[in-house]
Amino acid sequence: MPGSPVSCSDERLPSRVRAARRPRRRLGADGTCRLLFGDGTAEDFDLVVGADGAWSRVRPALSPAIPGYTGVTFVETGFDHCDTRHRDLARLVGNGSMLAKGAGRSLVAQRNSNGHIRAYIALRAPKDWHEGAGVDLGDQRAVRTYLLRLFDDWDESLRYILRNSDHEFIHRSLFVLPAPHTWDSVPGVTLLGDAAHLMPPVGLGANLAMLDGADLAHALVTESSVDDAVRAYESIMLPRSIEAATGSAKGLDNLVPATAS
């Protein structure tokens, strides 16, 4: 494919794993894909599958699309031993999840295993909201104080999430790929999971990635060639991902509404 390869060498990878630069499809009848590695070597493969997430280095071989900020940021935290140490919150969340939402602000809590509750403070805000607010994300007390002030008109049973968490606040800006995100099939290369259809985290992403993998594997063992398998797989995956991405965008709008309902 045209364009300069992008280096992604990483000495932290296990010795049997080598970080590749952007893949290039060889011009030739065999339709193989050449990977240029960080150590300067290259190898040819019948198929390169970009399962490398939101900031995929394989994606540019198929599409110029890059993730864009949704306008929503999650601030994650957590609670341990909830049934003994955070009983009121445990009752509020129950055995599933809890959502409280207002204009541009939401609180989400979900029951995990081993008595843990994971919580998200969801905000409609600029990506660099903390800079405008003068908040150092490394200063946990400052983050907590800011969030309590932001939710100062909410009930104390909900502000408990902000006031009493056991874990640090982790800043997670939400990025998505354009929807629809499609490409013309290219011999020797395809994508799955977030590399193909990064969407808001409303419960579909990991499930779709596993389904993508199963569909690709099925196509590879049933179609007559790798190229046919890639085309068959993408003919299923791309329409499905468009529908899911569109639905997930609506789900995010419902999770963090721009205006009060």
Side-chain angles (χ1 to χ4, degrees):
M1 297 296 292
S4 300
V6 177
S7 173
C8 62
S9 177
D10 192 336
E11 295 178 354
R12 296 170 298 175
L13 292 173
S15 59
R16 296 186 62 186
V17 177
R18 286 186 294 166
R21 300 181 180 187
R22 183 182 302 172
R24 285 182 169 181
R25 183 170 60 87
R26 285 197 319 193
L27 297 178
D30 60 358
T32 56
C33 182
R34 171 162 292 181
L35 286 185
L36 307 179
F37 292 94
D39 60 7
T41 62
E43 290 187 29
D44 295 332
F45 296 89
D46 294 328
L47 178 62
V48 172
V49 180
D52 51 342
W55 305 102
S56 171
R57 293 185 181 272
V58 178
R59 188 190 302 123
L62 295 170
S63 163
I66 58 174
Y69 179 53
T70 60
V72 174
T73 288
F74 282 4
V75 181
E76 178 183 337
T77 190
F79 300 80
D80 297 322
H81 309 294
C82 291
D83 295 309
T84 56
R85 295 185 61 243
H86 304 284
R87 292 179 179 177
D88 288 343
L89 179 62
R91 283 192 289 268
L92 186 64
V93 175
N95 292 324
S97 300
M98 183 280 301
L99 167 64
K101 58 185 180 179
R105 300 169 295 166
S106 295
L107 295 174
V108 184
Q110 59 181 205
R111 172 80 67 158
N112 294 166
S113 60
N114 298 319
H116 181 76
I117 287 177
R118 180 176 298 166
Y120 298 97
I121 302 95
L123 311 173
R124 286 202 174 270
K127 185 171 59 175
D128 57 354
W129 64 269
H130 52 286
E131 295 179 5
V135 176
D136 177 1
L137 293 178
D139 184 340
Q140 294 295 304
R141 179 176 295 180
V143 175
R144 191 183 303 276
T145 298
Y146 175 80
L147 293 174
L148 282 166
R149 188 165 61 248
L150 191 64
F151 287 82
D152 64 355
D153 56 343
W154 288 45
D155 189 83
E156 282 299 321
S157 65
L158 297 171
R159 281 163 50 87
Y160 185 97
I161 294 172
L162 312 174
R163 194 186 300 279
N164 296 289
S165 59
D166 297 318
H167 290 238
E168 292 185 348
F169 293 106
I170 302 172
H171 181 256
R172 302 192 185 282
S173 300
L174 302 188
F175 288 79
V176 296
L177 282 166
H181 177 228
T182 62
W183 58 86
D184 295 329
S185 188
V186 173
V189 191
T190 194
L191 304 172
L192 65 77
D194 284 349
H197 44 66
L198 180 66
M199 59 188 71
V202 294
L204 293 177
N207 296 311
L208 282 178
M210 292 188 288
L211 186 55
D212 290 349
D215 285 340
L216 178 57
H218 183 264
L220 287 168
V221 299
T222 57
E223 296 293 333
S224 59
S225 70
V226 171
D227 289 353
D228 287 344
V230 168
R231 284 190 289 269
Y233 157 68
E234 291 175 348
S235 72
I236 296 171
M237 181 272 291
L238 288 173
R240 177 175 65 215
S241 69
I242 292 170
E243 180 179 0
T246 302
S248 293
K250 293 178 180 177
L252 184 63
D253 288 342
N254 181 61
L255 183 70
V256 193
T259 58
S261 58

